[in-house]
Amino acid sequence: MVEYEFSLTGTRMSTVVSGFSRIVCAIAVALGLSCTARQASPDAIAERYVRAALRLAQHDPALVEDWRGPDSWRPGPRVPVAELLEEMTNLHQQLEIAASDISSSQDYARVHYLIAQVRGLRFAADRQLGRATSIDEQAREEFGVTFPPFDAAAAERARAALLEVLPGNGPAHDRVAAFRKRTVVAHERRERVFGAALDACRRAATAAVQLPRDERIDVRFDSSLAFDAFTRYRGDNRSELEISS
């Protein structure tokens, strides 16, 4: 998936437009006309979200792993991050309005999913604009996760329980390192081990869903990866699994 930018100029402009809209609304009321704002549909909001995400990814390509939608949605020249942030702020407001008038459980799930996604994009845009945040703020705003207060007693109980099951008698870090060393898959056996693991995952998956007959996963080992493992869908029922070696 993926996650935008904005400027003060746009904020001021929106204020002017808002004031103008109130004047027009007052005139309409005087003439006996309706001035109810047209509420954007979830489909329209979702399209704006995707387009904004693609434009923000022009500033940070890591936000969008891959795009398999229509080429017509691919963004043109880059726009400032600050303008994208304004767009996402507006999207969030539209979603809050949509959330107050939901008619089905499916719409409820979709709208609240989009609210969380747009919140994450706004955080990413703020970060690109130089905002410094703590890990707690990032978890809350980008992923919707709130960490409980640190409980030193609980941490010590967990550490003691770990030491009970770890082999050896030395310091915890030495025992953990020794345990990991004993469970490392030998270089010459890693393809067989991962092949067996994928077969087991595939058997478990087919108990719940019907996989395409030509489904496959290509495994690639790479010592330069900055993460333990990552999978990418390459299309045509094929995925690529990269593993740090």
Side-chain angles (χ1 to χ4, degrees):
M1 88 123 322
V2 289
E3 290 159 81
Y4 290 61
E5 301 186 31
F6 280 21
S7 76
L8 294 177
T9 303
T11 301
R12 183 168 185 177
M13 177 62 75
S14 66
T15 302
V16 173
V17 171
S18 178
F20 177 75
S21 297
R22 285 195 291 271
I23 294 172
V24 172
C25 185
I27 295 173
V29 170
L31 295 175
L33 304 175
S34 171
C35 62
T36 302
R38 180 172 172 268
Q39 180 176 317
S41 69
D43 283 348
I45 297 173
E47 179 176 336
R48 286 175 59 194
Y49 154 70
V50 172
R51 289 181 182 273
L54 291 172
R55 285 184 297 186
L56 186 61
Q58 290 180 295
H59 298 271
D60 181 3
L63 292 177
V64 177
E65 178 64 27
D66 197 11
W67 171 246
R68 298 184 182 276
D71 285 339
S72 60
W73 284 29
R74 293 185 183 276
R78 293 200 310 176
V79 299
V81 173
E83 292 183 17
L84 293 174
L85 183 56
E86 289 181 4
E87 165 71 359
M88 276 167 275
T89 298
N90 180 265
L91 277 175
H92 191 269
Q93 293 170 348
Q94 291 284 335
L95 284 164
E96 292 291 349
I97 294 173
S100 66
D101 186 27
I102 294 175
S103 58
S104 71
S105 58
Q106 182 176 2
D107 287 341
Y108 178 91
R110 185 183 186 194
V111 167
H112 283 271
Y113 169 80
L114 284 170
I115 287 175
Q117 293 296 102
V118 170
R119 184 173 59 240
L121 285 174
R122 289 172 64 186
F123 178 86
D126 275 337
R127 190 167 51 190
Q128 289 193 35
L129 290 173
R131 175 187 172 191
T133 62
S134 67
I135 185 64
D136 288 335
E137 290 175 303
Q138 181 177 4
R140 183 177 61 253
E141 296 186 32
E142 193 167 17
F143 302 105
V145 175
T146 300
F147 297 125
F150 178 69
D151 186 336
E156 183 55 35
R157 288 194 298 271
R159 180 178 180 276
L162 177 63
L163 291 177
E164 286 184 6
V165 297
L166 273 175
N169 299 308
H173 60 275
D174 288 341
R175 292 161 67 178
V176 169
F179 179 77
R180 286 180 172 174
K181 187 175 181 179
R182 286 196 297 272
T183 56
V184 168
V185 176
H187 187 276
E188 65 275 10
R189 298 183 59 197
R190 60 186 185 179
E191 291 187 12
R192 288 176 55 197
V193 169
F194 274 98
L198 288 173
D199 287 342
C201 291
R202 190 173 285 109
R203 287 194 298 272
T206 53
V209 296
Q210 183 175 357
L211 297 176
R213 297 185 64 180
D214 59 347
E215 173 271 333
R216 77 179 192 274
I217 299 175
D218 299 325
V219 179
R220 185 169 69 87
F221 297 93
D222 187 346
S223 60
S224 67
L225 294 181
F227 37 79
D228 291 334
F230 195 83
T231 184
R232 292 178 176 86
Y233 180 63
R234 295 302 192 186
D236 297 325
N237 300 323
R238 171 178 164 262
S239 297
E240 181 181 73
L241 174 61
E242 293 180 300
I243 301 172
S244 179
S245 59

